[in-house]
């Protein structure tokens, strides 16, 4: 067993080629005590079984991804989304994580109204936040880079995420600080301070920005140190708010998925020690 790597959590998608048992065993051997999980593979394995597996390996589930997709304007689609998010909250509670990451949703087909889409997010939060709180789960709004605004997330900045979150109690709705999505924003330091002052930082995630972006930009996140992000700068500003929680590495990258998982995790841990701590 390797020494514990302080605060490091491995998001499941970073080593997507691993099964859940491989993830649990590999993290335990590498001294990584936290994992961020995704609903689809957890559902396939069985939510209760996944919770038992992770606990048995001595790991903490730092987040569950994802809820959200709240922006549909049709009543039936909206009701379907709300029902799915209640299931996601139930799953998070079973896994023992207090953080459900939300990807809020893009513009409905044929719409160009960003403001209306964001208000539908607020409406959904109003319905779901009390339910989540009753289950010991906080909803965590993740702002995504503006290139995703049309089809995936109309919340593009930390300021926009906080404008939504601050309508609700901090223990019910927080935000995600993700370097991949926020590194470009020259207001991000002030917004991190704002989030920290309000007790709103629910998760802190790392991935690098590499160019040129690949075709199909969803899978373009870079390994730590391969791109433009100053990770220590982010970590110091997040820590300055009093945040002491996990730091989760979440990278979607087919090149990493094609490699040996243990090798990838060792590289992540090494770069984390060098570039983040």
């Amino acid at each position: 067993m390797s020494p514990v790597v302080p605060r490091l959590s491995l998001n499941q998608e970073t080593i997507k080629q691993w099964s859940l048992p491989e993830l649990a065993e590999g993290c335990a051997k590498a001294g990584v005590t936290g994992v961020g999980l995704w609903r689809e593979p957890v559902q396939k394995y069985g939510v209760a079984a996944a919770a038992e597996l992770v606990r048995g390996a001595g790991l903490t589930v730092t987040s569950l991804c994802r809820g959200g997709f709240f922006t549909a304007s049709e009543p039936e689609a909206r009701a379907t989304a709300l029902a799915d998010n209640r299931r996601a909250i139930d799953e998070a509670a079973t896994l023992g994580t207090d953080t459900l990451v939300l990807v809020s949703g893009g513009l409905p087909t044929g719409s160009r109204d960003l403001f209306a889409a964001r208000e539908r997010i607020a409406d959904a939060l109003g319905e779901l936040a009390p339910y989540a709180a009753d289950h010991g789960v906080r909803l965590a709004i993740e702002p995504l880079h503006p290139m995703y605004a049309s089809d995936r997330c109309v919340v593009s900045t930390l300021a926009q995420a906080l404008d939504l979150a601050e309508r609700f109690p901090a223990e019910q709705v927080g935000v995600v600080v993700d370097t991949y999505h926020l590194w470009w924003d020259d207001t991000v330091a002030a917004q991190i301070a704002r989030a920290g002052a309000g007790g709103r930082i629910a998760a802190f995630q790392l991935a690098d920005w590499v160019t040129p972006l690949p075709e199909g930009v969803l899978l373009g996140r870079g390994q730590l140190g391969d791109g433009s992000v100053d990770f220590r700068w982010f970590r110091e500003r997040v820590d300055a708010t009093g945040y002491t929680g996990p730091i989760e590495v979440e990278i979607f990258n087919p090149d990493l998925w094609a490699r040996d998982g243990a090798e990838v995790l060792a590289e992540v841990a090494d770069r984390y020690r060098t570039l983040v701590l």
Side-chain angles (χ1 to χ4, degrees), residues 8-252:
L8 176 60
S9 173
L10 181 74
N11 188 279
Q12 184 175 13
E13 285 291 288
T14 303
I15 308 181
K16 188 176 183 178
Q17 62 271 37
W18 268 354
S19 66
L20 264 171
E22 289 170 331
L23 177 74
E25 181 182 5
C27 285
K29 285 182 177 179
V32 176
T33 59
V35 288
L37 298 181
W38 279 68
R39 294 183 65 199
E40 292 81 359
V42 166
Q43 289 169 349
K44 185 176 181 180
Y45 190 82
V47 180
E52 183 177 356
L53 173 72
V54 171
R55 282 195 300 269
L59 304 176
T60 299
V61 180
T62 57
S63 70
L64 179 65
C65 198
R66 64 187 185 228
F69 290 90
F70 299 131
T71 53
S73 54
E74 300 83 3
E76 183 176 350
R78 181 176 182 276
T80 298
L82 290 172
D84 184 60
N85 276 271
R86 291 187 185 96
R87 287 191 294 271
I89 291 164
D90 295 341
E91 292 163 9
T94 299
L95 292 167
T97 181
D98 61 1
T99 302
L100 176 64
V101 175
L102 304 180
V103 176
S104 297
L107 286 171
T109 302
S111 174
R112 295 179 175 84
D113 193 339
L114 288 166
F115 302 99
R118 292 184 189 124
E119 282 305 306
R120 285 193 288 275
I121 296 167
D123 290 345
L125 292 170
E127 293 204 30
L128 293 170
Y131 182 85
D134 287 344
H135 289 74
V137 175
R138 179 156 65 158
L139 305 177
I141 304 169
E142 180 171 16
L144 268 58
H145 190 281
M147 67 181 173
Y148 298 112
S150 64
D151 65 340
R152 190 164 293 272
C153 188
V154 296
V155 181
S156 301
T157 66
L158 193 54
Q160 290 170 353
L162 287 166
D163 287 346
L164 286 165
E166 287 169 353
R167 301 188 193 191
F168 307 95
E171 65 273 15
Q172 294 184 6
V173 183
V175 297
V176 180
V177 177
D178 186 323
T179 62
Y180 178 77
H181 295 298
L182 301 176
W183 74 275
W184 59 274
D185 185 352
D186 62 1
T187 72
V188 73
Q191 297 305 321
I192 289 172
R194 173 186 168 190
R200 298 281 175 177
I201 300 177
F204 178 31
Q205 297 182 329
L206 309 180
D208 217 337
W209 181 276
V210 294
T211 48
L213 293 172
E215 183 178 358
V217 294
L218 183 63
L219 305 184
R221 298 184 181 212
Q223 171 65 289
L224 309 184
D226 284 356
S228 305
V229 178
D230 186 339
F231 295 104
R232 185 168 289 111
W233 184 95
F234 268 91
R235 196 268 302 158
E236 288 173 347
R237 278 146 188 82
V238 170
D239 282 0
T241 71
Y243 177 84
T244 59
I247 302 173
E248 188 175 304
V249 175
E250 182 188 57
I251 305 171
F252 311 152

